[in-house]
């Protein structure tokens, strides 16, 4: 049998909350009394006893930091927890980003920045050349720009209304960057509609890329099959997939499964 | 030359391994991947007449010895399952549709629909332990021989494809329930579902980990318990048995066959070994049989049931 240390973490460990900051009206950052040894792009499950357990990207590893948007019932409950309260976590789960080459392009839409922030930090620690496109609806929803600038990377904010940076989508900003710069690899996380457009334009530009995808996830252990995309399990084969894997996905950009297992169309909203 | 080909309820399978219900049984593409990884047959996640959400998380937890789940029979409902069955059958994959319902008439209807969609076999799940009191499904049926016989007979009346009954191990006398299922028309038995339910408490919060508190226990730790049940059933009934419960290695699979199983159900081992568990078990069984001079599983099936031995006197009562 596989050695127990190879088993996916399947029991939550309850720890105290060290810090709980509000980054903007929608986005909070949670710091736990825990450290995790993980690849950028991997994820953890957070557990609130008697409430639920949900997947979250790891924003920072030591201490374990989670940046999340108040989105549904679980994140609303999470946002009410205070310093000293206990929350359970298990991880690292899934496959993260694989750093390739020297010149890096990172694209983040909305709270998708949480999935690539640690990646950018690792890139900086390796003295790689990094440009980061950060997209949000407007000034009220954009976050993380100060930290990115302090890391010394190229920061390209864009908002739908032009209230900060470039007025337009991350894909428009990316197209501009691609006309002036050469990159070895691109990495992205954000709404699926953005990722679909990005996959198309990066493929046309022949730039190899890795995208962090999201699916409704129940177990995180490769058992429940709800997070599968054409047989790829987002929880164990992803959430980060390369362009060749994504090319094999007919459901990418089209279909995901909800808690019952029923298929639902991926929202067309950007 | 070793041949693992197995005929189960008249259906020829390339090998005896079968993906158990409730594991990777939602997306046809995932099930096709499990088949490509070596499974001989695939069981769909248990489906009823309606869509069901099941319990909130945590619905599963695992340790190196055992695994627990309280998913609560979430499912798409039979009317959303036609595409899944058709896609798998178009790919030539043998499938068992696992069904349940609180209403026996509806269970029969669900079974008939799956037969019309093209499923090769039906499994009536009367053994899920994760049920809300009063729901009238799962173990609420499977602990009673009479109810088990009744749902079996009702589904049998509306269907013609091989019919299996998935038994609960959490009873005093599983043999009597198995016999009732067979007498009511079951062509085969699946033995069995998870044990318990069990409980896991997180000591830091003092709270049960599973949302439902209690959950069915599976994984390597239950294997000897499951093996003993298959052994007893083999002596009591004539129909073929899918043995399952903690099977993780090829040695476990061989023990199951020696106890009398025809099919080898594998579920939780997907957590312990990944989807590769199917090809690992099949390769291991093949190699072992080659090394020991066996050609077919028929030569070792039921081997552990030797000639009657003299009853030893172990004490006086």
């Amino acid at each position: 049998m596989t050695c127990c240390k190879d088993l996916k973490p399947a029991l939550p460990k309850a720890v105290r909350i060290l810090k709980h900051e509000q980054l903007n009206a929608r986005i909070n950052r949670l710091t736990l009394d825990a450290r995790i040894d993980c690849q950028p792009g991997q994820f953890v499950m957070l557990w609130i006893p008697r409430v639920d357990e949900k997947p979250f990207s790891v924003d920072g590893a030591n201490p374990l930091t989670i940046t999340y948007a108040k989105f549904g019932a679980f994140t609303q409950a999470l946002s009410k927890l205070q310093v000293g309260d206990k929350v359970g976590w298990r991880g690292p789960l899934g496959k993260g980003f694989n750093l390739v080459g020297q010149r890096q392009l990172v694209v983040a839409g909305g709270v998708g920045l949480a999935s690539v922030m640690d990646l950018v930090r690792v890139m900086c620690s390796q003295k790689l050349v990094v440009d980061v496109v950060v997209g949000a609806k407007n000034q009220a929803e954009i976050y993380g720009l100060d930290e990115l600038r302090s890391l010394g990377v190229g920061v390209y904010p864009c908002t739908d209304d032009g209230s900060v940076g470039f007025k337009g989508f991350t894909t428009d900003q990316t197209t501009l960057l691609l006309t002036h710069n050469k990159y070895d690899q691109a990495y992205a996380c954000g709404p699926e509609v953005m990722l679909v457009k990005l996959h198309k334009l990066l493929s046309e530009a022949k730039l190899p890329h890795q995208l962090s995808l999201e699916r409704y996830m129940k177990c995180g252990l490769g058992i429940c099959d709800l997070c599968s995309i054409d047989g790829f399990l987002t929880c164990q084969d992803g959430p980060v997939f390369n362009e060749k894997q994504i090319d094999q996905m007919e459901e990418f950009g089209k279909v995901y499964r909800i808690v019952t297992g029923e298929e639902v169309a991926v929202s067309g909203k950007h | 030359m070793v041949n693992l080909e197995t005929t189960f309820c008249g259906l020829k399978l390339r090998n005896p391994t079968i993906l158990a219900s409730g594991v990777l049984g939602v997306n046809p593409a995932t099930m096709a991947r499990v088949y490509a990884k070596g499974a001989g047959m695939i069981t769909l996640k248990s489906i009823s007449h309606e869509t069901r959400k099941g319990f909130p998380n945590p619905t599963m937890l695992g340790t190196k010895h055992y695994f627990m789940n309280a998913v609560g029979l979430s499912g798409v409902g039979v009317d959303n399952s036609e595409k899944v069955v058709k896609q798998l059958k178009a790919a030539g994959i043998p499938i068992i549709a696992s069904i349940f319902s609180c209403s026996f008439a509806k269970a029969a209807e669900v079974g008939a629909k799956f037969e019309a969609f093209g499923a090769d076999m039906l499994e009536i799940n009367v053994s899920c332990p994760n049920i809300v009191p009063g729901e009238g499904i799962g173990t609420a049926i499977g602990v009673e021989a009479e109810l088990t016989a009744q749902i079996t007979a009702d589904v049998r009346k509306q269907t013609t494809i091989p019919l299996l009954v998935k038994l609960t191990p959490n009873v005093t006398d599983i043999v009597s329930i198995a016999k009732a299922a067979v007498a009511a028309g079951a062509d085969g038995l699946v033995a069995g579902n998870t044990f318990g339910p069990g409980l896991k408490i997180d000591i830091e919060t003092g709270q049960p980990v599973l949302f439902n508190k209690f959950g069915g226990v599976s994984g390597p730790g239950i294997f000897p318990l499951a093996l003993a049940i298959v052994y007893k059933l083999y002596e009591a009934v004539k129909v073929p048995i899918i043995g399952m419960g903690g099977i993780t290695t090829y040695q476990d699979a061989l023990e199951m066959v020696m106890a009398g199983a025809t099919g080898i159900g594998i579920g939780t081992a997907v957590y312990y070994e990944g989807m590769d568990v199917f090809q690992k078990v099949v390769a291991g069984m093949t190699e072992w049989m080659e090394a020991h001079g066996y050609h077919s599983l028929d030569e070792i099936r039921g081997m552990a049931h030797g000639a009657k031995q003299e009853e030893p006197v172990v004490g006086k009562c």
Side-chain angles (χ1 to χ4, degrees):
Chain A
M1 212 193 313
T2 315
C3 173
C4 48
K5 72 170 194 268
D6 294 335
L7 291 176
K8 293 168 194 152
L11 255 187
K13 218 170 124 179
V15 294
R16 291 198 185 284
I17 295 171
L18 293 181
K19 220 187 317 176
H20 204 166
E21 309 152 86
Q22 188 166 0
L23 300 187
N24 64 35
R26 205 172 141 248
I27 294 170
N28 286 359
R29 181 172 287 166
L30 185 71
T31 306
L32 300 180
D33 187 11
R35 54 173 67 193
I36 183 171
D37 185 11
C38 73
Q39 258 178 304
Q42 287 187 291
F43 70 96
V44 295
M45 300 292 288
L46 288 187
W47 172 51
I48 306 176
R50 320 290 348 125
V51 176
D52 213 333
E53 188 193 42
K54 295 280 181 188
F56 290 87
S57 300
V58 175
D59 184 323
N62 183 22
L64 175 57
T65 307
I66 309 291
T67 301
Y68 66 93
K70 281 173 272 179
F71 181 76
F74 185 85
T75 44
Q76 289 296 345
L78 191 60
S79 71
K80 293 191 175 80
L81 296 181
Q82 292 171 2
V83 171
D85 287 348
K86 278 181 178 169
V87 59
W89 71 279
R90 59 182 170 97
L93 294 162
K95 291 200 171 60
F97 292 103
N98 186 18
L99 260 178
V100 184
Q102 299 296 313
R103 295 158 303 177
Q104 315 289 4
L105 175 63
V106 179
V107 184
V111 77
L113 181 60
S115 300
V116 293
M117 200 62 165
D118 208 39
L119 174 73
V120 174
R121 290 190 203 105
V122 170
M123 288 170 170
C124 291
S125 72
Q126 295 183 13
K127 309 247 180 317
L128 305 178
V129 181
V130 190
D131 283 336
V132 185
V133 177
V134 183
K137 218 175 270 172
N138 51 44
Q139 187 173 19
E141 294 207 356
I142 206 158
Y143 80 97
L145 299 180
D146 292 344
E147 181 178 359
L148 286 168
R149 288 189 181 114
S150 73
L151 288 168
V153 300
V155 184
Y156 297 87
C158 36
T159 47
D160 296 359
D161 62 359
S163 51
V164 179
F166 177 85
K167 181 176 191 296
F169 294 142
T170 53
T171 42
D172 304 325
Q173 176 66 74
T174 301
T175 304
L176 274 177
L177 285 172
L178 289 176
T179 57
H180 297 106
N181 303 285
K182 279 259 175 220
Y183 299 100
D184 297 322
Q185 188 89 194
Y187 314 79
C189 186
E192 191 144 318
V193 180
M194 172 193 117
L195 295 179
V196 168
K197 284 164 73 179
L198 201 62
H199 174 59
K200 188 163 178 280
L201 80 90
L202 293 172
S203 298
E204 280 164 6
K206 297 195 166 41
L207 178 57
H209 51 279
Q210 300 166 39
L211 308 181
S212 177
L213 306 187
E214 184 177 48
R215 280 295 179 273
Y216 181 84
M217 198 178 281
K218 196 95 197 202
C219 69
L221 298 171
I223 295 290
C224 77
D225 203 15
L226 289 179
C227 72
S228 61
I229 311 175
D230 300 292
F232 290 99
L233 300 180
T234 307
C235 70
Q236 72 172 33
D237 306 313
V240 177
F241 294 99
N242 65 34
E243 76 282 352
K244 290 183 196 80
Q245 293 172 307
I246 289 167
D247 279 337
Q248 295 172 47
M249 297 175 180
E250 283 172 27
E251 293 177 352
F252 174 58
K254 297 192 183 81
V255 167
Y256 71 99
R257 284 170 182 74
I258 55 173
V259 59
T260 57
E262 291 168 282
E263 293 178 16
V264 171
V266 169
S267 158
K269 278 182 219 147
H270 195 101
Chain B
M1 191 55 191
V2 173
N3 188 351
L4 289 192
E5 224 173 62
T6 299
T7 303
F8 184 79
C9 288
L11 186 68
K12 206 172 253 184
L13 308 176
R14 59 183 181 179
N15 70 58
T17 66
I18 300 168
L19 176 71
S21 181
V23 174
L24 299 176
V26 178
N27 186 332
T30 315
M31 290 184 265
R33 185 176 167 193
V34 173
Y35 188 70
K37 291 268 188 188
M41 180 152 61
I42 301 290
T43 315
L44 273 53
K45 184 157 170 52
S46 295
I47 293 292
S48 72
H49 59 280
E50 58 184 357
T51 58
R52 290 172 59 95
K53 284 186 176 173
F55 293 113
N57 262 349
T59 46
M60 296 184 201
L61 63 84
T63 73
K64 58 183 170 175
H65 305 294
Y66 63 85
F67 196 87
M68 285 172 60
N69 89 83
V71 173
L73 290 169
S74 59
V76 294
V78 65
D79 293 328
N80 290 316
S81 299
E82 182 170 5
K83 200 177 86 177
V84 176
V85 173
K86 294 223 155 120
Q87 219 168 305
L88 290 167
K89 288 319 298 171
I93 299 170
I95 56 167
I96 303 173
S98 182
I99 62 170
F100 69 97
S101 179
C102 53
S103 143
F104 295 179
K106 280 187 178 137
E109 214 174 282
V110 172
K113 281 182 179 174
F114 270 114
E115 177 166 343
F117 298 160
D120 296 295
M121 286 183 205
L122 295 171
E123 163 193 287
I124 313 176
N125 177 355
V126 291
S127 45
C128 175
N130 305 314
I131 49 168
V132 176
E135 257 197 310
I137 56 173
T139 46
I141 301 167
V143 294
E144 304 276 356
E146 220 168 283
L147 293 176
T148 303
Q150 203 181 321
I151 192 171
T152 306
D154 285 355
V155 175
R156 181 70 300 171
K157 266 183 237 147
Q158 304 293 325
T159 58
T160 63
I161 53 176
L163 179 61
L164 317 176
V165 174
K166 186 166 182 177
L167 302 169
T168 171
N170 308 304
V171 291
T172 313
D173 180 15
I174 195 165
V175 166
S176 62
I177 295 168
K179 281 183 171 167
V182 172
D187 301 303
L189 297 172
V190 184
N193 214 310
T194 50
F195 280 78
L199 175 66
K200 176 76 182 169
I201 293 170
D202 170 63
I203 57 172
E204 294 304 321
T205 57
Q207 293 296 312
V209 175
L210 294 173
F211 183 90
N212 185 46
K213 299 177 187 172
F214 304 107
V217 183
S218 61
I222 70 161
F223 176 69
L225 301 169
L227 188 67
I229 285 171
V230 170
Y231 187 94
K232 282 184 205 160
L233 291 178
Y234 183 75
E235 297 196 338
V237 296
K238 293 251 174 334
V239 299
I241 302 162
I242 299 176
M244 66 172 70
I247 298 170
T248 312
T249 65
Y250 77 87
Q251 292 96 330
D252 297 340
L254 288 166
E255 284 190 58
M256 263 301 176
V257 176
M258 289 177 181
T262 303
I264 299 295
I266 294 179
T268 303
V270 170
Y271 168 69
Y272 292 94
E273 292 286 335
M275 290 184 210
D276 290 340
V277 65
F278 294 94
Q279 55 201 26
K280 279 189 202 162
V281 165
V282 167
M285 288 173 92
T286 307
E287 257 173 60
W288 184 91
M289 286 170 67
E290 231 157 45
H292 292 74
Y294 294 111
H295 305 283
S296 137
L297 289 170
D298 296 339
E299 296 164 49
I300 61 167
R301 183 167 307 109
M303 191 185 227
H305 304 261
K308 274 232 155 52
Q309 60 193 24
E310 217 170 288
E311 293 294 330
V313 179
V314 291
K316 282 182 196 159
C317 182

